Amino acid sequence: MTDNLDQLCVNTIRTLAMDGVQKAKSGHPGMPMGMADATYVLWTRFLVHSPSDPQWPNRDRFVLSAGHGSMLLYSLLHLTGYDLPLDELKRFRQLDSLTPGHPEYGLTPGVETTTGPLGQGFANGVGMAIAESFLAATFNRPDFPLFDHHTYAIVSDGDLMEGVSHEAASLAGHLGLRKLIYLYDDNEISIEGSTDLAFTEDVLARFRAYGWHVQEVDGHSLDAVDAAIRAAQAEQDRPSLIACRTHIAYGAPNMQNSAEAHGAPLGVEEIRLTKEALGWPTDEPFHIPDEALAVFRHAVEQGRTAQAKWTDLLTRYRVAYPEEAVLLDTLLAGELPEGWQEALPTFDAGDGPMATRKASGNVLNAIAPVLPTLIGGSADLAPSNNTQLKSCLAFQCGAEGGRNFHFGVREHGMGSILNGMALHGGLRVYGGTFLVFSDYMRPSVRVAALMGLPVVYIWTHDSVWLGEDGPTHQPVEHLAALRVIPNLVVIRPADANETAAAWQVALERRDGPTALALTRQSLPVMDESRRDAAETVARGAYILADASGTPDVILIATGSEVALALAARDLLTQQGIAVRVVSMPSMELFDAQPQSYRDGVLPPDVTARMGIEAGVTSVWHKYVGTAGDVLGIDRFGASAPYKDLMKKFGFTPEAVAERALRLLGK
Amino acid sequence: MTDNLDQLCVNTIRTLAMDGVQKAKSGHPGMPMGMADATYVLWTRFLVHSPSDPQWPNRDRFVLSAGHGSMLLYSLLHLTGYDLPLDELKRFRQLDSLTPGHPEYGLTPGVETTTGPLGQGFANGVGMAIAESFLAATFNRPDFPLFDHHTYAIVSDGDLMEGVSHEAASLAGHLGLRKLIYLYDDNEISIEGSTDLAFTEDVLARFRAYGWHVQEVDGHSLDAVDAAIRAAQAEQDRPSLIACRTHIAYGAPNMQNSAEAHGAPLGVEEIRLTKEALGWPTDEPFHIPDEALAVFRHAVEQGRTAQAKWTDLLTRYRVAYPEEAVLLDTLLAGELPEGWQEALPTFDAGDGPMATRKASGNVLNAIAPVLPTLIGGSADLAPSNNTQLKSCLAFQCGAEGGRNFHFGVREHGMGSILNGMALHGGLRVYGGTFLVFSDYMRPSVRVAALMGLPVVYIWTHDSVWLGEDGPTHQPVEHLAALRVIPNLVVIRPADANETAAAWQVALERRDGPTALALTRQSLPVMDESRRDAAETVARGAYILADASGTPDVILIATGSEVALALAARDLLTQQGIAVRVVSMPSMELFDAQPQSYRDGVLPPDVTARMGIEAGVTSVWHKYVGTAGDVLGIDRFGASAPYKDLMKKFGFTPEAVAERALRLLGK
């Protein structure tokens, strides 16, 4: 009887989750048990995927936003035939297993994104759906629907409480992402107890207000879930939310509907009782009935068939649209079209002073034509961040080939959506806001770094020198706070040419995000920097101006402070001091250089060193050493024209020269 | 004619805003011009305040969440008689003026909170309304409505797009904060252009879904706004949102409804045209008609009368409820009841190992009875953060005297609401989540530090040693990233007694926030630390165990790594190495000590120093110097039992001892 077989399958998921958490003595069994039914329906009746090729470009994307329910995902990946042996499920949450506490992208085959920090997966899915629709608009041709897949997610109460999900949901509704279908695990239980303690909003009405198609079903009724997903697929204008009313830890006689089942093993006795109630063998953990496995494993053959059909489509596409196909191959491989660097502009000192944010805008617009899937935008600061691609349209509902994104005042949503776009493949993405508001998107930046996604952040107004907007808008701690995120490269270019080089580094990077910290105010274009900015910036720090012999003092500066260091050098040289100026656009890139290169730039025997940067000083001691000095700003800023602030904070050539003399004991 | 006088008053606000921005050559004239009508109604007909005493405890609170429209607020503060001379309006955005680019709490009389980063003010207001209702429930008595005021805010499209406002709005609806009334400047313009580019949700339906009372009015109709505020005040169960349909830069012939009027001066010519259209003198910037000033200045006398009535009430309250009155005086002065420290527990080594999060929970529960307005909660992690006050109820609608807050999975909202609660006065507040999720609330932490608010953060699970949850939940860069925020004190106690001392430091701090970083895992209670933990922790670092003579090496550790340092010392001592162990719970507190104290703890001539902390190393070079070493974790963590991770990352006594020997060249 089909019904019984279905139940057998569902209970296989349920018991694997129980057993995995119990064996690990840690984890979250309640959610997988509650959502086993709905997820079973999705994975066996709707999800188009190919377990033998998790990279198939046109697969449906599945996101477990409620990442704490990772055993649900691991169970399904194993059961449907991904390269995830049962032994790995038995090593849940152990060192070097493929089944960490929360799903990790790049580690486990079939895991589409790293989740756990709530709300991130919700917004990642929005980014994936955006990517699909952009690639479809760009590469599909009549009778060639190369990109035509859905993006599904399972989202929890916690996901829907997090602000980032509100931001992403509002934007998804605005953009009319009709192929986005989310199952909401509406179990009314969170860690502190009933969701009634803090979460009594009308979720469906809220999503309707965002412009979503909404449904509510019994999450334990396979038929109801089936019908709801069908209706969601049929919806032509809006993303879909299907609220599945479920019971957490469904099937556990004493733990069902209990907050205790959220984040701890059920215990040996409760598992025994649950298995007895399910008619399950109690003496064999990780038991998988053969009949159930056979049902799940259909996915392998179904996937191969679907993928073969698509590969055939692509083969015919190659003939009909050879140029597009070549480009597509490059992009799907994560590569950039050959020779793209030739489009990078260079700047002359004679061009006059230019803010690095403006230089960045010029670079973006120069390379946009040769990088047709370079897309991005700003959190409502495009005119200030210079993120607009002037030759391109906006990405909007009905104009999904547009390359300019209006993210709205939603920095966090932007960051997490960018991650989803990057995860999808085929795109290179960027997003802009003021550097101070990198704080708003920081959780998404962290996950991008953890996943190794090549996202580019355009963070302008990068110091107190933005002036009049005052301390709420003036970053002082942000460069330091970003530099400590592992695998994030922060570049603060000193002029227009360093900015072009920074873009080259950022786009050639494939294993992690890059942040560009750019000025509001104009900076001179330095002659010195022009010759080989691409190479010097890639090394993180380099000698920009040197003394003829051994330097008495080294001035190390970043961004807008490099010109200041050069001016101070002129004053010091007049007094007979031998000064080396080092431009250090990126500490991370410099730290990655061989010791010999680093010692060449900062010779160990020159201990009179001064770091100069309009921000907090704590990260500089590594470079200036015990005998050195740092000119920074270890306090919040102030509202005033920036030249007044430079005087106030001692960032004038005279003040720097004087301080350097003091350091030299003169 | 009243109508004309009203218009004269409204246009006075409008023209002051135009002139202020023009003189500064920088700022946002459009919003003040658009919201001049509605704000005029609010301030002259409803707002109960006392310009001659901006600290009156029962004043209505007014929050300009759209802080970029600061000239609106400055104009009203000047006009209604606060101590803000017209000359200060002429010095808008200049160095050391009282009129910075965005409103700054503590600088300008009458500014209730620092705004500018969007969404913050929205959530601050929710916190203020919570504080009012808690104090009312706690101190009001029949016929003694000591606390009985409204909280108003002006919020913008940008505020409503930010996730933090969604979080706070959902919680405000849940809590039924009926005295919260927000005017939404629905002008359909943001920086990139029409809000149609990114923001087409049905805002009113969304707020209705959150449980708010919603209205929509013509924001330029004084009568309509007046009626809507009345209706909002009459609402007995829900917070209110009044959408005011307005035109940005209302009255400017060429700039009205234009995104260009958002963030730049209108220009001399457009101002002339606007003033001509308004029948305003064009040759006298900052013109204030006497009749208009007279209307606004009624606020002074009205405020004095209202406050006198309240003072009389308080006088009678002192007689009727003398104990409550004494307590109230203490709390409103921002002080703690005398002798409260005696309630702080001490812990014995014999008590066995204890996680510092558990010690923190014990401390909280021990001091809760003597600190009756110490209130707080967690972002749905109370059982893990140990934030629950066991003797107290939950704060809920109808139970506003409850002291346990269920913030939901809304870290950012929690942070900004805590700020609002602290701003209100009378309370000491705390909020908890995992340390890794401090990222989610970072923008609110920054503003707390900027405003100097004494908020306490309980951030548990403070290192990779949280184990199985894996890298998404394991902080590595967070201690470093938090330490760089000016005016935030970060304390990572090494055991239960240091935890009690950390709480004392945090609660005795009145001019800024304090973060407690606490372990998930158990730590031994150290004998050494018990003697004078209160004093030693307050100094940031101290000698916990010393060599008999000059130490060969100094091990400097924080939190859970202190016990490790002690164990390594034992091994090294066996080999004849003289080891000093320094416990450094707080770098900020240590940095604030006199040089002599610092040199005593870290003698300059002992250069063999090793920092030990389970996190990124970059902030440690300042303490270990060029010749020192740091044992840290400069990468993301991994999912596994924590003892396995300690081996993997070299955090065992043997590995530390070996590394120290290497540092000593042995």
Side-chain angles (χ1 to χ4, degrees):
Chain A
M1 207 173 87
T2 314
D3 264 4
N4 281 344
L5 187 53
D6 282 336
Q7 272 314 315
L8 196 75
C9 291
V10 171
N11 289 336
T12 302
I13 300 172
R14 214 163 253 147
T15 51
L16 283 176
M18 282 195 302
D19 288 343
V21 172
Q22 186 65 36
K23 181 141 198 291
K25 298 195 190 68
S26 151
H28 301 256
M31 184 284 218
M33 295 173 72
M35 280 301 281
D37 304 278
T39 318
Y40 167 71
V41 171
L42 175 63
W43 274 61
T44 57
R45 303 188 192 171
F46 295 95
L47 196 72
V48 180
H49 62 136
S50 184
S52 52
D53 183 4
Q55 301 306 320
W56 173 34
N58 194 40
R59 70 193 181 277
D60 285 343
R61 301 305 194 268
F62 174 81
V63 173
L64 185 73
S65 188
H68 55 275
S70 53
M71 268 306 297
L72 174 66
L73 180 54
Y74 299 144
S75 300
L76 283 160
L77 290 172
H78 170 70
L79 291 168
T80 58
Y82 283 80
D83 186 13
L84 186 67
L86 188 61
D87 277 349
E88 290 294 329
L89 272 64
K90 296 179 182 171
R91 299 182 58 233
F92 182 48
R93 294 182 158 234
Q94 303 308 303
L95 194 62
D96 300 327
S97 80
L98 293 179
T99 51
H102 293 82
E104 293 181 28
Y105 172 75
L107 178 71
T108 315
V111 169
E112 299 280 8
T113 179
T114 296
T115 50
L118 290 169
Q120 298 300 325
F122 185 111
N124 293 163
V126 173
M128 292 173 186
I130 286 172
E132 189 268 348
S133 64
F134 174 81
L135 290 170
T138 307
F139 288 101
N140 288 1
R141 295 290 179 272
D143 297 323
F144 289 96
L146 279 184
F147 293 95
D148 182 20
H149 69 78
H150 285 91
T151 299
Y152 299 98
I154 293 189
V155 303
S156 62
D157 299 313
D159 288 305
L160 300 189
M161 283 190 252
E162 289 286 5
V164 63
S165 73
H166 292 249
E167 295 179 10
S170 177
L171 190 60
H174 169 76
L175 295 174
L177 300 173
R178 66 184 176 82
K179 283 154 132 182
L180 191 68
I181 299 176
Y182 282 2
L183 305 184
Y184 162 36
D185 178 20
D186 183 12
N187 63 22
E188 298 190 345
I189 293 290
S190 66
I191 289 176
E192 292 184 2
S194 162
T195 53
D196 282 353
L197 290 171
F199 187 57
T200 49
E201 62 178 46
D202 182 342
V203 171
L204 294 187
R206 176 184 132 202
F207 273 80
R208 210 178 285 117
Y210 292 144
W212 286 53
H213 171 249
V214 299
Q215 302 174 76
E216 188 168 24
V217 300
D218 174 357
H220 299 299
S221 160
L222 307 187
D223 290 346
V225 172
D226 186 302
I229 298 177
R230 269 175 222 291
Q233 288 188 339
E235 164 65 32
Q236 288 302 305
D237 299 316
R238 295 173 292 175
S240 268
L241 185 76
I242 303 170
C244 302
R245 272 296 293 124
T246 62
H247 300 279
I248 196 166
Y250 186 77
N254 303 301
M255 300 289 263
Q256 184 171 314
N257 294 333
S258 153
E260 286 164 49
H262 192 292
L266 296 184
V268 173
E269 178 58 13
E270 181 74 1
I271 288 179
R272 192 181 61 75
L273 294 173
T274 309
K275 287 185 177 172
E276 278 180 6
L278 297 176
W280 215 254
T282 56
D283 54 352
E284 188 197 341
F286 299 95
H287 170 69
I288 300 176
D290 290 340
E291 317 89 280
L293 187 62
V295 171
F296 284 111
R297 284 286 159 92
H298 282 153
V300 176
E301 205 43 49
Q302 282 173 343
R304 282 209 184 100
T305 307
Q307 187 171 2
K309 207 170 136 189
W310 185 82
T311 306
D312 177 61
L313 185 74
L314 181 61
T315 306
R316 288 184 285 116
Y317 185 85
R318 285 190 202 291
V319 177
Y321 303 99
E323 273 183 47
E324 287 87 340
V326 167
L327 178 62
L328 189 58
D329 287 340
T330 307
L331 300 173
L332 288 179
E335 290 163 8
L336 302 172
E338 215 172 326
W340 74 274
Q341 304 93 330
E342 288 159 28
L344 283 166
T346 54
F347 300 86
D348 277 319
D351 294 344
M354 178 184 288
T356 51
R357 64 172 167 147
K358 182 151 187 288
S360 170
N362 289 356
V363 170
L364 255 184
N365 277 284
I367 61 179
V370 298
L371 299 174
T373 63
L374 178 67
I375 63 179
S378 165
D380 196 42
L381 287 171
S384 298
N385 302 145
N386 296 77
T387 45
Q388 181 88 2
L389 303 180
K390 296 190 182 94
S391 61
C392 301
L393 298 174
F395 180 100
Q396 293 287 1
C397 187
E400 284 85 0
R403 291 169 60 185
N404 289 303
F405 282 78
H406 297 284
F407 288 105
V409 189
R410 303 182 182 104
E411 299 84 5
H412 196 177
M414 173 174 75
S416 306
I417 288 170
L418 289 172
N419 288 351
M421 291 163 74
L423 283 163
H424 185 280
L427 307 176
R428 289 305 299 265
V429 300
Y430 62 87
T433 185
F434 290 158
L435 178 58
V436 78
F437 300 133
S438 62
D439 276 352
Y440 273 72
M441 54 192 296
R442 192 171 168 92
S444 62
V445 175
R446 181 176 210 260
V447 192
L450 178 57
M451 291 196 272
L453 301 179
V455 175
V456 183
Y457 306 113
I458 301 174
W459 286 326
T460 71
H461 297 58
D462 71 343
S463 72
V464 295
W465 314 143
L466 64 84
E468 291 87 344
D469 272 346
T472 56
H473 285 54
Q474 290 165 339
V476 287
E477 73 277 28
H478 296 77
L479 290 168
L482 291 162
R483 287 173 181 146
V484 294
I485 298 179
N487 199 33
L488 174 67
V489 168
V490 179
I491 310 181
R492 188 172 187 238
D495 75 347
N497 286 312
E498 280 199 12
T499 305
W503 264 106
Q504 184 170 348
V505 169
L507 289 174
E508 287 177 349
R509 215 176 163 225
R510 289 178 57 179
D511 58 357
T514 305
L516 308 181
L518 305 171
T519 65
R520 174 189 186 218
Q521 77 278 17
S522 289
L523 301 178
V525 176
M526 301 180 298
D527 279 331
E528 292 88 341
S529 72
R530 198 186 160 185
R531 290 181 300 253
D532 47 8
E535 199 207 332
T536 51
V537 169
R539 304 203 116 191
Y542 63 99
I543 303 165
L544 179 66
D546 210 356
S548 49
T550 304
D552 298 316
V553 63
I554 306 178
L555 304 181
I556 318 168
T558 78
S560 48
E561 281 66 77
V562 172
L564 173 65
L566 287 174
R569 176 175 176 271
D570 289 345
L571 296 177
L572 290 163
T573 305
Q574 286 165 22
Q575 302 192 45
I577 312 289
V579 182
R580 170 178 291 187
V581 171
V582 169
S583 175
M584 187 180 268
S586 173
M587 292 180 176
E588 299 78 36
L589 295 175
F590 183 63
D591 290 350
Q593 298 305 307
Q595 185 74 41
S596 58
Y597 180 81
R598 285 181 284 143
D599 286 349
V601 175
L602 300 176
D605 56 342
V606 184
T607 58
R609 303 174 185 181
M610 184 169 155
I612 311 175
E613 186 173 72
V616 299
T617 57
S618 66
V619 287
W620 278 90
H621 297 278
K622 182 173 173 183
Y623 304 104
V624 301
T626 315
D629 185 22
V630 190
L631 170 60
I633 302 178
D634 282 311
R635 49 155 286 179
F636 291 110
S639 170
Y642 78 94
K643 289 183 181 170
D644 294 346
L645 293 173
M646 286 179 167
K647 283 195 201 96
K648 179 184 174 74
F649 290 116
F651 282 72
T652 61
E654 295 73 21
V656 171
E658 199 186 309
R659 193 159 171 154
L661 288 172
R662 252 198 330 269
L663 178 64
L664 291 166
K666 300 196 178 181
Chain B
M1 206 174 86
T2 315
D3 265 5
N4 281 344
L5 186 53
D6 281 336
Q7 271 314 313
L8 197 75
C9 290
V10 170
N11 289 337
T12 302
I13 299 172
R14 213 163 253 149
T15 51
L16 282 177
M18 283 195 302
D19 288 344
V21 173
Q22 186 65 37
K23 182 144 196 290
K25 299 195 190 70
S26 152
H28 302 255
M31 183 284 219
M33 296 174 73
M35 280 301 280
D37 304 278
T39 316
Y40 167 72
V41 171
L42 175 62
W43 274 61
T44 57
R45 302 186 192 173
F46 295 94
L47 196 72
V48 180
H49 61 136
S50 184
S52 52
D53 182 6
Q55 302 304 321
W56 173 35
N58 193 40
R59 69 194 181 276
D60 285 344
R61 302 304 195 268
F62 174 81
V63 172
L64 185 73
S65 188
H68 54 273
S70 53
M71 270 305 297
L72 173 65
L73 180 53
Y74 299 144
S75 299
L76 283 160
L77 290 172
H78 169 71
L79 291 168
T80 58
Y82 284 79
D83 185 14
L84 185 67
L86 188 61
D87 276 349
E88 289 295 328
L89 272 64
K90 295 178 181 170
R91 298 181 60 232
F92 181 49
R93 294 181 157 235
Q94 304 307 302
L95 194 62
D96 299 327
S97 79
L98 293 179
T99 51
H102 293 82
E104 293 181 29
Y105 171 75
L107 178 70
T108 316
V111 169
E112 299 279 9
T113 178
T114 296
T115 50
L118 290 169
Q120 297 300 325
F122 186 110
N124 293 163
V126 173
M128 293 173 185
I130 285 173
E132 190 269 346
S133 65
F134 173 80
L135 291 170
T138 306
F139 288 100
N140 288 1
R141 295 289 179 274
D143 297 324
F144 289 96
L146 280 183
F147 293 95
D148 181 21
H149 68 77
H150 285 91
T151 299
Y152 299 98
I154 294 190
V155 303
S156 62
D157 299 312
D159 287 305
L160 300 190
M161 283 189 253
E162 290 286 4
V164 62
S165 72
H166 293 246
E167 295 179 10
S170 177
L171 190 60
H174 169 76
L175 294 174
L177 300 172
R178 67 184 174 82
K179 282 154 132 182
L180 191 68
I181 300 176
Y182 282 2
L183 305 182
Y184 162 35
D185 178 20
D186 183 14
N187 63 23
E188 298 191 345
I189 294 290
S190 64
I191 289 175
E192 292 184 1
S194 163
T195 54
D196 283 352
L197 290 171
F199 187 56
T200 50
E201 62 178 45
D202 181 342
V203 172
L204 294 188
R206 177 185 130 202
F207 273 80
R208 210 178 286 115
Y210 292 145
W212 286 52
H213 171 248
V214 299
Q215 301 174 77
E216 188 168 25
V217 299
D218 173 357
H220 300 298
S221 160
L222 307 188
D223 290 345
V225 173
D226 186 302
I229 297 176
R230 268 175 223 289
Q233 288 188 339
E235 164 65 32
Q236 288 303 306
D237 300 316
R238 296 173 291 176
S240 269
L241 184 76
I242 302 169
C244 302
R245 272 295 294 125
T246 63
H247 300 280
I248 196 166
Y250 186 77
N254 304 301
M255 300 288 261
Q256 184 173 314
N257 293 333
S258 152
E260 285 164 50
H262 192 294
L266 296 183
V268 174
E269 178 59 13
E270 181 74 1
I271 288 179
R272 194 181 60 75
L273 293 173
T274 308
K275 288 185 176 173
E276 278 181 5
L278 298 176
W280 215 255
T282 57
D283 53 352
E284 188 200 341
F286 299 94
H287 170 70
I288 299 175
D290 291 339
E291 317 90 278
L293 187 62
V295 171
F296 285 110
R297 284 284 159 94
H298 282 152
V300 176
E301 204 44 47
Q302 283 172 343
R304 283 212 183 98
T305 306
Q307 187 170 2
K309 209 171 136 191
W310 184 83
T311 306
D312 177 59
L313 185 74
L314 180 61
T315 305
R316 287 183 286 117
Y317 184 85
R318 284 189 203 290
V319 177
Y321 304 99
E323 273 183 45
E324 288 87 340
V326 168
L327 178 62
L328 189 58
D329 287 341
T330 306
L331 300 172
L332 289 177
E335 290 163 8
L336 302 172
E338 215 173 322
W340 75 275
Q341 303 93 330
E342 288 158 29
L344 282 166
T346 55
F347 301 86
D348 277 319
D351 294 345
M354 180 185 286
T356 51
R357 63 171 168 147
K358 181 149 186 290
S360 169
N362 290 356
V363 171
L364 255 183
N365 276 284
I367 60 179
V370 298
L371 298 175
T373 63
L374 177 67
I375 63 178
S378 165
D380 195 40
L381 287 172
S384 297
N385 302 145
N386 295 77
T387 46
Q388 182 88 0
L389 304 180
K390 296 188 182 98
S391 61
C392 302
L393 297 173
F395 180 100
Q396 292 288 0
C397 187
E400 284 86 359
R403 290 168 62 185
N404 288 305
F405 281 79
H406 297 284
F407 288 107
V409 189
R410 303 183 182 104
E411 298 83 5
H412 196 176
M414 174 174 74
S416 306
I417 287 170
L418 289 173
N419 288 351
M421 292 163 73
L423 283 163
H424 185 280
L427 307 176
R428 287 307 298 266
V429 300
Y430 62 87
T433 185
F434 290 159
L435 178 58
V436 78
F437 300 134
S438 62
D439 277 353
Y440 273 72
M441 53 193 296
R442 192 171 167 92
S444 62
V445 176
R446 180 175 211 261
V447 192
L450 178 55
M451 290 196 272
L453 301 180
V455 175
V456 183
Y457 306 113
I458 301 175
W459 286 326
T460 72
H461 296 59
D462 70 343
S463 73
V464 294
W465 314 144
L466 64 85
E468 291 88 344
D469 272 347
T472 55
H473 284 55
Q474 291 166 338
V476 288
E477 74 276 28
H478 296 78
L479 290 168
L482 291 163
R483 287 173 180 145
V484 294
I485 298 178
N487 199 34
L488 173 67
V489 168
V490 179
I491 311 182
R492 188 171 187 241
D495 76 347
N497 286 311
E498 279 198 15
T499 305
W503 264 106
Q504 185 171 347
V505 170
L507 289 174
E508 286 177 348
R509 213 175 165 227
R510 289 177 57 179
D511 58 356
T514 304
L516 308 182
L518 305 172
T519 64
R520 175 188 186 218
Q521 77 278 17
S522 289
L523 301 179
V525 176
M526 302 181 296
D527 279 331
E528 293 87 341
S529 72
R530 199 185 161 188
R531 290 181 299 254
D532 48 6
E535 199 206 330
T536 51
V537 169
R539 303 202 119 190
Y542 64 98
I543 303 166
L544 179 66
D546 210 357
S548 50
T550 304
D552 297 317
V553 63
I554 306 177
L555 304 181
I556 317 168
T558 77
S560 48
E561 281 65 78
V562 172
L564 173 66
L566 287 174
R569 177 175 175 271
D570 290 344
L571 296 178
L572 290 163
T573 305
Q574 286 165 21
Q575 301 190 44
I577 312 290
V579 183
R580 169 177 292 186
V581 171
V582 169
S583 175
M584 187 180 269
S586 173
M587 293 180 176
E588 300 78 35
L589 295 175
F590 183 64
D591 290 351
Q593 299 304 309
Q595 184 75 42
S596 59
Y597 180 81
R598 285 181 284 143
D599 286 349
V601 175
L602 301 176
D605 55 342
V606 183
T607 58
R609 304 175 184 179
M610 186 168 155
I612 311 175
E613 186 173 71
V616 299
T617 57
S618 67
V619 288
W620 277 91
H621 297 277
K622 182 174 174 183
Y623 304 103
V624 301
T626 315
D629 186 21
V630 190
L631 170 61
I633 301 179
D634 282 312
R635 48 156 284 180
F636 290 110
S639 170
Y642 78 95
K643 289 183 181 169
D644 295 345
L645 294 173
M646 286 179 169
K647 283 195 202 97
K648 178 184 172 76
F649 289 116
F651 282 70
T652 60
E654 295 73 22
V656 172
E658 197 186 310
R659 193 158 171 156
L661 289 172
R662 254 199 327 270
L663 179 64
L664 290 165
K666 300 196 177 182

